[in-house]
Amino acid sequence: MFGADKGHVDAADARMNGKKLRIGIASVTDALAQACRAELLALGVAEKDIDHITVPGALEVPVALQALAEKAHYDALVALGCIIRGETYHFELVANESGSAVTRVALDYQLPIANAILTTEDMAQAVARQEDKGRDAARVAVEMANLLESI
């Protein structure tokens, strides 16, 4: 029976073990970063193994991720930010370009990047999502780092 196999459960649990992982975070927003850091610590990532840099905007996140990837000592990276829709096409441009650039860095460096650059209609939506999405990003980073290590 799927899911009842004890080995399957152990493998899934092992993927969520952050011990021995080194994680880099590039963020625009502090609230997302705080939630992400707290979850990384809860998953076993040591404080000394979490590096966090802040950038001025979502378009700057990918270049910061690239600089972190160049260091070649991270198991995973996390992209955090928020793009709020305005009255112009700028929202779509920033969302599309930052998303594709984050993916390009992940593929170029064969490094998992949890992308939690939120796209919202307004500030209320951003605030409502920041804690959950920060935690989600931490979990994705840990799980993907462990998954790629096992391949």
Side-chain angles (χ1 to χ4, degrees), residues 27-132:
S27 74
V28 179
T29 62
D30 192 48
L32 276 163
Q34 288 176 4
C36 181
R37 179 183 291 276
E39 187 68 12
L40 288 171
L41 293 170
L43 292 170
V45 179
E47 180 76 38
K48 68 179 180 49
D49 292 329
I50 302 170
D51 291 335
H52 176 216
I53 57 174
T54 58
V55 297
L59 289 175
E60 291 74 34
V61 170
V63 76
L65 292 170
Q66 185 177 32
L68 290 169
E70 287 283 332
K71 303 286 185 198
H73 61 263
Y74 293 101
D75 299 293
L77 300 175
V78 180
L80 301 172
C82 186
I83 306 164
I84 299 173
R85 184 179 300 279
E87 297 176 4
T88 68
Y89 178 70
H90 190 249
F91 172 84
E92 284 84 3
L93 177 70
V94 173
N96 291 338
E97 291 300 319
S98 68
S100 66
V102 167
T103 300
R104 190 169 48 252
V105 172
L107 294 172
D108 287 351
Y109 289 89
Q110 297 179 352
L111 185 63
I113 300 178
N115 187 349
I117 298 178
L118 309 179
T119 52
T120 64
E121 295 295 323
D122 54 42
M123 184 60 82
Q125 285 182 354
V127 170
R129 289 165 175 74
Q130 62 193 7
E131 193 171 320
D132 285 344

Side-chain angles (χ1 to χ4, degrees), residues 127-145:
V127 170
R129 289 165 175 74
Q130 62 193 7
E131 193 171 320
D132 285 344
K133 295 303 180 183
R135 285 194 310 262
D136 289 348
R139 289 192 290 268
V140 167
V142 168
E143 183 172 3
M144 287 302 297

